[in-house]
Amino acid sequence: MTEQQKQNLNETESLDQKTRQPLSRRSFLKIGAGTAVSLTAFGWALSPLANLTEDISLNEFLQQHYERLTPEMMAEIIARLEDEIKHDYGIDPSIQDIKPLNGVEYAYALNIGRCIGCRRCVYACMQENNTSRSPEIQYIRVLELEKGTLDLEKSSHYYNHKAVPQKDKYYMPVQCQQCEKAPCTKACPVRATWKEPDGIVVVDYNWCIGCRYCMAACPYWARRFNFTKPVIPKEEITTEMAYLGNRIRPRGVVEKCTFCLGRTRQGLYPACLEVCPTGSRVFGNVLDPDSPINYILNEKRVYVLKEEAGTVPRFYYFFDK
Amino acid sequence: MILRNYFILLLYLITGLCFFSGTSGWTETKKSEKEPQKQLVLPPQNWLDTTPIRDTRKLLLKRSSGFVYRCMECHKDFKTPLESVNEPIGEHQGMIFDHGLNINCLSCHHPENRGVYIDHDFREISEDQSVYLCRKCHGPVYRDWEAGIHGRMNGYWDRSRGLRTKLSCNQCHDPHQPAFKQLVPMAPPAASRLQRVQKGSQHD
């Protein structure tokens, strides 16, 4: 070892010793004061929360991400949400956290040759999903298109005829396509929206920060934002609610179609299907080879909306002929 | 000296993190799967208006007075003429008949027993099995219906949990004028003023 190296070594050793020295009182005080300052600063930063009784409670602010919630925590959250809804809307809701079923992946198919554009589905959806009536939030848009074209740019969903279907028009309801490669979930900066094992893209409304990146990312215009606290007449509220589904949303969060997961995860059909007078809508489990969905995929001409977007929807449009 | 400052900064950070770990930790913990399967509350089954658009009368004649009578109460006395007129005549004048190329009353109604329908091989199809009547000429649609993709399903998609019910053809199609009727659409979405101005192309 050369002199130079030895000296270097010594220097590092002495440096080490310095840092390993026990804290002097002075530096300890310094740190203590620092911590105190940081805590007060932190408390001050949090203090607006104390005033946010209406929009968001401190408990809600400190809630964990959905994936990390234990059943006990969930029970607590649900009890709190039920209380809040009871207080705000004067009804007695029952919120459940319904988990996906094993061996089930949903798919939806819609026969565009049959749909007559009567919008019954739109309103059944609003009722089931407790969406705001004013301002109006609707998950389903029924597009009216010229027969023989597929030009969505020329479609309209504000048509107002005395009777439907109109000659030389056809109708195409569009709602969340529950994409396999959902661009919306990737856009979310806080992972408040994700794809469940059964294929449904959900939003944790307690986790959503309302940045609306997901809305911009969605090629189907399927997500809706609550600019205000939802206004729903008391008698029109569906009291059986799902945590990730149709519970009444707070202000400032994004919501969307979940294939009525509160219903479908209990074996029922989505509300939009149940009311369709034409029977254009077909729903089922793609993993079940005998399901009507697989019959369609095997027998009919099927297409997906905006295939070029590469989103791989779970929502299929089909024709008979 | 610089090092000590770093140390203080670090402490700031740690205290901050401790506070926030409740809300922002990204450790992937597995959801506890031992949650006991509690009894879930089903949504109400009857609030959605699932009434079919058509009420089947079956083979009953209803007078405006509400008086109901069966076909054979008259037709046991009428012999079916050799040359069937295939028109809504006599008692049935008020009926509108428009079933495409299918212009023959007796390709559906049994010539001898008017209380039932008739199959290819002249066998009777009882009045509550009218889907078999339609099957006789609409094979492909019937196959779709049986597979559950023509007409509407209600109840449970998951048949291990409950019944799946189908509407019969008659509940949507009037057998005498089967084209699906026009309906009055429900109100269009309440558009913002801006959107209403630019009618025509509203695709966002």
Side-chain angles (χ1 to χ4, degrees):
Chain A
M1 213 184 277
T2 62
E3 263 323 287
Q4 185 60 41
Q5 280 172 326
K6 253 187 205 156
Q7 215 177 327
N8 279 352
L9 237 171
N10 281 344
E11 258 173 31
T12 41
E13 256 170 29
S14 63
L15 234 166
D16 266 9
Q17 264 165 19
K18 249 190 217 159
T19 43
R20 267 196 247 112
Q21 263 170 14
L23 289 171
S24 73
R25 202 182 96 87
R26 205 172 139 234
S27 52
F28 176 81
L29 270 181
K30 234 186 192 167
I31 292 164
T35 327
V37 167
S38 84
L39 278 180
T40 2
F42 187 68
W44 178 78
L46 274 181
S47 69
L49 284 175
N51 310 327
L52 284 176
T53 39
E54 216 190 277
D55 276 4
I56 172 175
S57 64
L58 186 66
N59 279 341
E60 186 177 337
F61 184 78
L62 297 175
Q63 184 184 320
Q64 302 241 0
H65 187 268
Y66 182 79
E67 283 189 353
R68 305 183 73 214
L69 293 175
T70 61
E72 298 77 45
M73 289 160 145
M74 186 41 103
E76 228 170 79
I77 293 165
I78 281 176
R80 196 182 68 233
L81 290 172
E82 283 176 349
D83 270 0
E84 280 169 14
I85 291 175
K86 192 172 182 177
H87 172 263
D88 292 356
Y89 293 89
I91 49 144
D92 221 345
S94 120
I95 302 182
Q96 310 170 70
D97 179 33
I98 306 177
K99 299 290 183 203
L101 301 170
N102 280 336
V104 175
E105 274 188 35
Y106 299 112
Y108 211 131
L110 198 148
N111 189 337
I112 358 184
R114 300 252 175 278
C115 175
I116 59 167
C118 69
R119 295 204 188 96
R120 303 275 189 286
C121 51
V122 177
Y123 287 85
C125 169
M126 286 174 77
Q127 183 168 359
E128 166 66 27
N129 286 298
N130 291 320
T131 63
S132 175
R133 308 294 147 89
S134 146
E136 207 171 51
I137 291 187
Q138 299 179 340
Y139 294 168
I140 306 176
R141 268 186 319 156
V142 186
L143 305 183
E144 185 185 58
L145 293 124
E146 265 338 294
K147 251 187 194 150
T149 66
L150 232 170
D151 190 356
L152 297 183
E153 302 299 326
K154 291 216 180 87
S155 68
S156 155
H157 62 287
Y158 294 104
Y159 62 86
N160 196 4
H161 309 299
K162 289 220 170 57
V164 285
Q166 292 282 303
K167 274 214 170 66
D168 14 284
K169 296 276 202 258
Y170 75 98
Y171 300 85
M172 183 155 88
V174 181
Q175 62 208 73
C176 175
Q177 312 273 310
Q178 318 290 358
C179 310
E180 189 57 37
K181 299 190 176 155
C184 51
T185 60
K186 295 195 192 99
C188 181
V190 296
R191 255 187 64 182
T193 179
W194 64 90
K195 190 168 73 70
E196 291 265 287
D198 53 5
I200 296 180
V201 176
V202 294
V203 182
D204 185 345
Y205 317 114
N206 280 23
W207 202 253
C208 174
I209 56 172
C211 70
R212 310 208 277 147
Y213 287 0
C214 54
M215 290 176 71
C218 175
Y220 305 103
W221 204 61
R223 288 172 169 260
R224 304 284 181 273
F225 186 67
N226 284 281
F227 281 102
T228 64
K229 195 169 120 124
V231 177
I232 316 170
K234 192 175 157 188
E235 35 331 311
E236 286 178 26
I237 297 176
T238 303
T239 51
E240 281 70 20
M241 303 181 188
Y243 180 83
L244 294 175
N246 61 342
R247 71 180 160 100
I248 302 182
R249 266 79 29 175
R251 193 186 74 179
V253 302
V254 168
E255 57 173 302
K256 63 184 276 297
C257 158
T258 59
F259 283 176
C260 290
L261 63 77
R263 300 173 59 84
T264 48
R265 283 184 180 171
Q266 305 200 55
L268 293 165
Y269 282 112
C272 48
L273 184 148
E274 291 251 2
V275 298
C276 177
T278 65
S280 309
R281 292 168 169 271
V282 182
F283 178 84
N285 175 10
V286 257
L287 300 185
D288 170 8
D290 299 329
S291 69
I293 283 288
N294 275 312
Y295 180 91
I296 291 170
L297 295 180
N298 294 334
E299 306 274 323
K300 300 287 178 186
R301 282 203 296 139
V302 174
Y303 94 103
V304 297
L305 201 55
K306 300 195 182 175
E307 193 177 5
E308 67 282 2
T311 49
V312 196
R314 269 170 198 283
F315 199 103
Y316 304 101
Y317 294 92
F318 71 103
F319 304 92
D320 265 333
K321 289 159 210 140
Chain B
M1 198 57 203
I2 293 171
L3 256 167
R4 197 167 307 144
N5 282 349
Y6 274 128
F7 194 58
I8 292 169
L9 239 166
L10 208 89
L11 258 171
Y12 273 91
L13 264 175
I14 289 170
T15 32
L17 270 180
C18 288
F19 238 92
F20 265 119
S21 60
T23 49
S24 66
W26 267 122
T27 38
E28 285 288 333
T29 43
K30 244 297 63 12
K31 280 174 284 175
S32 67
E33 253 127 40
K34 51 193 178 292
E35 183 187 5
Q37 195 61 50
K38 64 174 178 193
Q39 197 55 49
L40 295 171
V41 187
L42 276 181
Q45 306 280 302
N46 52 354
W47 66 261
L48 280 173
D49 182 13
T50 56
T51 8
I53 58 156
R54 192 172 173 270
D55 182 23
T56 61
R57 282 191 278 170
K58 295 202 174 155
L59 289 172
L60 286 173
L61 276 184
K62 229 182 244 159
R63 275 290 171 81
S64 45
S65 56
F67 176 53
V68 172
Y69 51 118
R70 302 210 152 254
C71 319
M72 289 316 280
E73 282 167 30
C74 290
H75 279 278
K76 67 173 183 289
D77 300 329
F78 304 138
K79 284 276 158 303
T80 304
L82 280 175
E83 278 290 307
S84 184
V85 286
N86 290 319
E87 286 283 323
I89 46 164
E91 180 66 17
H92 317 303
Q93 264 171 18
M95 205 185 90
I96 300 162
F97 185 70
D98 178 16
H99 196 139
L101 299 171
N102 175 20
I103 47 164
N104 215 327
C105 306
L106 300 185
S107 59
C108 291
H109 294 286
H110 199 282
E112 265 87 51
N113 181 2
R114 294 286 158 95
V116 296
Y117 310 112
I118 186 167
D119 209 342
H120 281 308
D121 45 10
F122 303 104
R123 264 189 296 191
E124 298 183 352
I125 300 173
S126 76
E127 65 170 353
D128 45 291
Q129 291 185 319
S130 61
V131 285
Y132 295 134
L133 170 67
C134 313
R135 173 178 69 175
K136 161 169 117 164
C137 302
H138 295 292
V141 176
Y142 177 81
R143 206 169 55 230
D144 284 355
W145 178 82
E146 204 162 44
I149 72 162
H150 185 101
R152 190 177 70 203
M153 305 287 129
N154 288 105
Y156 290 80
W157 63 264
D158 183 354
R159 277 184 281 178
S160 64
R161 290 174 182 240
L163 283 177
R164 189 169 89 177
T165 56
K166 284 180 191 172
L167 294 185
S168 75
C169 320
N170 284 354
Q171 290 177 293
C172 292
H173 300 287
D174 181 338
H176 298 142
Q177 23 177 338
F180 201 83
K181 301 278 172 308
Q182 281 193 320
L183 295 178
V184 183
M186 298 186 72
S192 73
R193 219 173 341 135
L194 185 88
Q195 280 168 317
R196 232 178 269 141
V197 171
Q198 25 165 274
K199 262 213 168 110
S201 154
Q202 275 105 347
H203 189 258
D204 313 49

